Amino acid sequence: MRYTPLVSRLVFPLALVFFASAESLAAQEGTDGYQTPAAELTALVDAPVTPGISLSPDESVMLLTMRPSLPSIGEVAAPELKIAGLRINPRTNGPSRSRPSNGLALRTLEGDERAVTGLPSNPRIRNTRWSPDGGMVAFTHDTDSAVQLWILDVASATARRLSDLDAVNAGFGSPFSWSPESDALYLMAVPPGRGPAPAEPMVPTGPRIEESSGEAAPARTYQDLLQNQHDEALYAHYAMAQLARVGLEGSATMLGEPAIFSGAAPSPDGGHLLVQTTQRPFSYQVPASRFPSTIEVWDTAGNPVHQVAQLPLQDGVPTSFGSVPTGVRSVSWRPDAGATLYWVEAQDGGDAQAPADIRDRVYTHAAPFAGEPTELAALPLRYGGVMWAEEGFAFVSENWFSTRQQRTYRVDPDAPGTLDLIFDLQTEDRYNDPGFPMFTTNERGFGVLMTADGGRSIYLAGQGASPEGNRPFLRKRNLETGAEEELFRSEAPYYEGVVTLLADGRLLTRRESADEPPNHFLRDLDRGTISAVTDFPHPYPQFAGIRKEAIQYEREDGVPLSATLYLPADYDQERDGPLPTFVWAYPTEFKSAAAAGQRRDSPYQFTRISYSGAVPYVTRGYAVLDNASMPVIGEGDAEPNDSFREQLVANAQAAVDEGVRRGVVDPDRVGVGGHSYGAFMTGNLLAHSDIFRAGVARSGAYNRTLTPFGFQREERLFWEDPDLYLYMSPFMHAEKVNEPILLIHGEDDNNSGTFPIQSRRFYAALKGLGATARLVFLPAESHGYAARESVLHVLWETDRWLDMHVKPAKKPVTTTDDAGS
């Protein structure tokens, strides 16, 4: 193996290299550096960002987190360590590419707002967490060289730095948690006195060796994995933390020894800590989440009192969906008990393809953890989670990917073993979705089921999908009789979703309409009154006149489809006629044609002109068919991908035909685009149809042989069905791409499967075959694009591509007879 130097693992803003490459591009394409699009597109990028909202546990006040506009390329291109499947900022020991908030405010439900004072200059706020009693909010602040722990006193609306520990280790999961008594925080600190990072050896110390023992160990296409012994040393250095208990006056008590922590959670009674630490040997094949680990219970002084499990390296988990690691998994505290653990263990070797009557068993074990654990439930399908109630019952869920089945049972922890079926549904069937149980926060700060009538009833909130569109609802369900009472349902012309049901019976909702941005409201269900809690302004009022319509149509085989049609604000059909059009979509697999045809939108949702998709180009004179349905269906023994290409083409043709039927789409001037799997779709549509004039493909994968252990929802391996992988890969059919295609990709894409080489090799194939193509690599960008300069440039590239290849009137085809007449 080639020796990998540190410079390939630490990425710096290499200005000289970048500008050299930019000059080369300029020479070839006639452009120079980052470009800025038309003013209307730039205005969308710079539109104000609506604050985030978080309600206090006691429901008395909301925390508003102010969010800045996009960061500069200088911020995005800051030093970054790519290691063990993670990306961290080595200067701060925090996450790289984070999007921190830059301000805080407090607002009562009556609308009174107070700005928070005492914040650091140029605040970079992350990890906001309410104390269980609602009196405090803890958060982290990123400086240029460290992550600090801060606290906000809600009563005085003042913030202060809480601890003078050197730094918070915030790059490897949640950096702190509150004690149930709200009197302290358990913090992951950078070990005091930690020295500098291990230096890169000037000379390799030996070869990199990996060996297979003959047992199958398939793995999906993970990125940023460890490469050599120096990477191992860097991971151990930056991941090592010291667990500390920090009091509200700032005093810090160190607990145990420094370790690589995956988590540390206090028990509801405050007397124990559930701690998981990562152990060696590390792996070069899987990310840190699958490294060996030890799960223990500590006392609050940091002394281990019980070992829950010692888990080996999880590098042999089957790639089929529904497969899981063997041994103990999903360990947590029961929120309704003082100190009781619960977890699940696979009974089928973790292999979803192995036959088994019982797939998983759920166990509980109460402090002091003597004797054997108690079996709570034996599940025929794969475990999907537990929801606990204070009244002495729990809901246990199970699901199965291949059949899309999900079941929820009621169990009695004091008389375990009996499963009382509450819900049995198909996860694809949105129209019959009963909703999800609502939660509340108990006095210890843990989430528990929201109940009524002494635990005999629960509340269910859902999207309310229907043939008319989504209409969110709130229902009360009697667990003994199954009877349901609908307490609220969204009504036209609004789309109004449930946030929470307050203890006093009022309903907090988030309401919007096609031309009104989302805001929060209080509904008195008894009186039938409603009052505004927030009044966030329209982020881009200059575009308020854009026309939006949820449309429905059918595929040639009768499958119902839908899309959202956007038309320019000044469009007059009689005057302007059919428009050049941009279609944006993302394929989705289904096992049921009936479910594939269900609507997934609402005509009353706010017209968001997000800069990341196709909608912005409605401001440039295009009709836009956004989120056009792209179902790929495989009923019975058939798998969706068996006819992937044909179904894509049928979906796309139906969308364009509907726009033509309405008189707003010019069929000779239609472009198609998508991101990630949508980019994969775009490549296939250009290769296997002549519906579109051009395509825009962002951050895609085009050669499925580079993802041989499955992709998206495909479970079959390349070696099991190589023809399928060749059939679905536009790279293998590049010679059929006879329309212009714009390929855009982040140079540092770390999404599984979408290696940057995917776009590079697809472009090379297209260029070699004489196709019209353009490849744009965005420096320092990952799967999504974060820097303002990058986003503006993508808008410029896309607008330019559409104007060149889609907007112009198509030249008429000259026949032999025409030429001779």
Side-chain angles (χ1 to χ4, degrees):
M1 289 291 181
R2 183 172 61 85
Y3 181 66
T4 307
L6 175 60
V7 71
S8 70
R9 313 299 290 160
L10 263 175
V11 179
F12 291 89
L14 301 177
L16 293 177
V17 174
F18 165 68
F19 285 118
S21 112
E23 289 173 6
S24 174
L25 177 64
Q28 296 179 49
E29 306 291 351
T31 61
D32 186 16
Y34 290 106
Q35 300 296 312
T36 301
E40 54 265 43
L41 296 177
T42 301
L44 294 175
V45 175
D46 294 333
V49 183
T50 302
I53 296 291
S54 173
L55 185 65
S56 65
D58 61 5
E59 302 177 345
S60 65
V61 65
M62 296 192 310
L63 177 71
L64 280 63
T65 53
M66 312 307 174
R67 298 183 285 193
S69 56
L70 292 176
S72 70
I73 187 62
E75 294 177 82
V76 172
E80 181 177 58
L81 181 63
K82 306 174 183 180
I83 199 160
L86 304 166
R87 292 187 172 185
I88 67 168
N89 183 335
R91 296 187 305 191
T92 64
N93 224 115
S96 62
R97 305 172 184 271
S98 62
R99 290 289 301 276
S101 303
N102 63 352
L104 299 174
L106 296 166
R107 177 179 289 220
T108 66
L109 297 185
E110 288 68 41
D112 298 325
E113 186 170 318
R114 295 177 294 161
V116 173
T117 61
L119 292 172
S121 59
N122 187 29
R124 297 174 59 82
I125 297 166
R126 295 184 296 106
N127 301 304
T128 53
R129 302 282 190 276
W130 285 98
S131 61
D133 64 6
M136 298 280 182
V137 176
F139 60 92
T140 59
H141 162 61
D142 295 354
T143 71
D144 290 337
S145 59
V147 179
Q148 300 174 346
L149 179 64
W150 283 65
I151 196 166
L152 160 64
D153 180 84
V154 175
S156 63
T158 57
R160 60 184 171 88
R161 187 178 177 188
L162 181 59
S163 172
D164 59 0
L165 286 170
D166 291 342
V168 177
N169 190 324
F172 301 88
S174 179
F176 64 81
S177 56
W178 278 99
S179 68
E181 301 85 2
S182 301
D183 61 349
L185 293 113
Y186 291 97
L187 176 71
M188 298 296 176
V190 172
R194 184 185 72 176
E200 174 75 1
M202 298 300 293
V203 178
T205 58
R208 168 183 159 176
I209 299 173
E210 299 180 52
E211 183 176 358
S212 173
S213 63
E215 295 183 3
R220 295 237 167 186
T221 49
Y222 300 113
Q223 300 192 44
D224 300 337
L225 301 178
L226 297 177
Q227 298 294 316
N228 51 45
Q229 291 181 346
H230 181 59
D231 276 0
E232 293 191 48
L234 286 173
Y235 169 68
H237 173 83
Y238 285 105
M240 194 71 64
Q242 173 70 65
L243 183 60
R245 179 183 169 96
V246 181
L248 297 186
E249 78 289 350
S251 63
T253 303
M254 301 303 174
L255 306 178
E257 297 296 324
I260 300 175
F261 290 92
S262 302
S267 58
D269 65 4
H272 302 81
L273 295 168
L274 178 61
V275 175
Q276 184 167 358
T277 55
T278 299
Q279 312 294 328
R280 291 181 182 272
F282 304 149
S283 172
Y284 295 179
Q285 298 297 319
V286 293
S289 60
R290 292 197 173 187
F291 290 178
S293 65
T294 300
I295 305 174
E296 298 176 311
V297 176
W298 291 6
D299 62 22
T300 54
N303 302 305
V305 297
H306 174 65
Q307 184 177 99
V308 181
Q310 187 121 25
L311 302 177
L313 175 68
Q314 300 287 352
D315 63 347
V317 180
T319 57
S320 55
F321 292 101
S323 293
V324 295
T326 56
V328 169
R329 72 182 197 276
S330 301
V331 187
S332 191
W333 294 111
R334 271 184 59 176
D336 63 326
T340 298
L341 296 171
Y342 70 95
W343 67 85
V344 62
E345 296 184 36
Q347 305 299 299
D348 56 2
D351 188 352
Q353 295 185 347
D357 294 327
I358 298 298
R359 293 283 176 184
D360 278 327
R361 295 186 191 274
V362 184
Y363 296 94
T364 64
H365 205 187
F369 313 108
E372 294 299 315
T374 299
E375 182 181 304
L376 178 67
L379 303 176
L381 306 182
R382 187 65 74 209
Y383 169 78
V386 181
M387 297 169 277
W388 301 90
E390 295 279 12
E391 290 81 4
F393 68 90
F395 289 161
V396 180
S397 294
E398 64 174 2
N399 55 68
W400 199 242
F401 171 80
S402 61
T403 60
R404 310 301 198 264
Q405 185 176 22
Q406 180 179 339
R407 295 191 290 230
T408 301
Y409 305 98
R410 178 175 174 171
V411 298
D412 182 350
D414 294 329
T418 300
L419 302 179
D420 179 16
L421 183 65
I422 302 295
F423 301 116
D424 188 352
L425 56 105
Q426 297 294 310
T427 56
E428 294 179 342
D429 184 4
R430 290 168 50 87
Y431 288 178
N432 291 299
D433 185 350
F436 194 79
M438 295 198 67
F439 278 73
T440 187
T441 303
N442 64 19
E443 62 182 8
R444 298 174 291 274
F446 287 74
V448 292
L449 286 166
M450 184 182 292
T451 60
D453 307 323
R456 293 189 299 276
S457 300
I458 60 170
Y459 296 96
L460 300 168
Q463 285 292 327
S466 73
E468 292 73 41
N470 292 339
R471 293 181 58 202
F473 63 82
L474 175 67
R475 296 172 183 156
K476 182 179 178 182
R477 179 185 176 96
N478 186 298
L479 294 175
E480 296 177 355
T481 66
E484 290 188 351
E485 174 189 5
E486 187 161 285
L487 304 178
F488 166 78
R489 181 176 283 271
S490 180
E491 297 287 346
Y494 296 103
Y495 176 85
E496 189 170 1
V498 174
V499 177
T500 191
L501 181 64
L502 304 179
D504 62 10
R506 293 182 298 171
L507 187 64
L508 181 64
T509 68
R510 186 174 182 266
R511 189 176 79 167
E512 60 192 274
S513 70
D515 55 5
E516 296 176 15
N519 271 289
H520 290 76
F521 289 79
L522 273 177
R523 282 189 170 274
D524 189 315
L525 298 177
D526 292 330
R527 298 180 179 179
T529 59
I530 183 171
S531 58
V533 177
T534 62
D535 187 22
F536 301 130
H538 198 299
Y540 21 77
Q542 66 272 38
F543 303 123
I546 288 172
R547 294 159 57 184
K548 170 187 174 183
E549 182 182 357
I551 64 173
Q552 295 177 283
Y553 48 97
E554 283 190 359
R555 202 165 74 177
E556 61 184 358
D557 59 0
V559 173
L561 304 176
S562 63
T564 304
L565 171 66
Y566 294 86
L567 296 171
D570 60 352
Y571 174 66
D572 183 284
Q573 186 170 351
E574 183 175 343
R575 179 193 68 204
D576 302 324
L579 294 174
T581 302
F582 194 18
V583 178
W584 193 265
Y586 190 94
T588 305
E589 298 88 343
F590 291 90
K591 289 297 293 179
S592 161
Q598 293 181 352
R599 288 190 65 174
R600 286 164 169 75
D601 60 6
S602 166
Y604 307 116
Q605 286 185 277
F606 179 59
T607 304
R608 293 172 179 82
I609 312 180
S610 169
Y611 48 74
S612 61
V615 181
Y617 305 97
V618 73
T619 68
R620 302 289 290 154
Y622 294 87
V624 171
L625 287 170
D626 189 46
N627 198 25
S629 294
M630 285 285 164
V632 185
I633 306 162
E635 295 188 302
D637 293 334
E639 291 297 328
N641 287 339
D642 293 346
S643 54
F644 179 82
R645 290 173 4 195
E646 292 79 5
Q647 293 195 60
L648 284 189
V649 172
N651 295 329
Q653 189 66 64
V656 173
D657 287 349
E658 176 62 16
V660 172
R661 186 191 69 79
R662 290 170 173 264
V664 298
V665 171
D666 181 346
D668 292 328
R669 296 189 293 162
V670 183
V672 64
H675 181 89
S676 193
Y677 210 54
F680 174 66
M681 169 206 74
T682 299
N684 270 298
L685 285 171
L686 295 189
H688 303 294
S689 78
D690 291 312
I691 301 170
F692 301 102
R693 287 272 296 274
V696 179
R698 302 177 187 166
S699 300
Y702 310 100
N703 183 351
R704 283 302 165 197
T705 68
L706 298 179
T707 56
F709 288 101
F711 55 89
Q712 201 71 2
R713 291 194 170 188
E714 179 54 62
E715 296 185 280
R716 289 167 288 187
L717 309 186
F718 169 76
W719 299 274
E720 295 172 343
D721 196 342
D723 290 342
L724 174 73
Y725 280 66
L726 301 180
Y727 158 82
M728 291 186 67
S729 297
F731 177 85
M732 305 302 177
H733 307 276
E735 81 283 1
K736 301 174 186 175
V737 178
N738 55 9
E739 298 89 6
I741 184 169
L742 171 63
L743 302 170
I744 302 175
H745 216 122
E747 282 189 346
D748 291 335
D749 191 338
N750 66 336
N751 181 60
S752 178
T754 55
F755 295 100
I757 197 174
Q758 290 271 8
S759 288
R760 192 178 300 280
R761 297 309 301 157
F762 191 37
Y763 172 76
L766 293 167
K767 182 177 180 179
L769 292 165
T772 300
R774 180 176 171 92
L775 175 63
V776 178
F777 267 100
L778 301 172
E781 294 291 357
S782 187
H783 193 57
Y785 316 138
R788 181 177 183 272
E789 292 89 339
S790 300
V791 171
L792 289 174
H793 189 85
V794 168
L795 290 169
W796 179 84
E797 289 280 0
T798 306
D799 189 38
R800 172 179 173 271
W801 198 253
L802 295 175
D803 277 0
M804 288 174 58
H805 300 293
V806 174
K807 185 173 285 186
K810 191 170 184 179
K811 295 179 181 179
V813 177
T814 302
T815 67
T816 304
D817 290 342
D818 292 336
S821 61

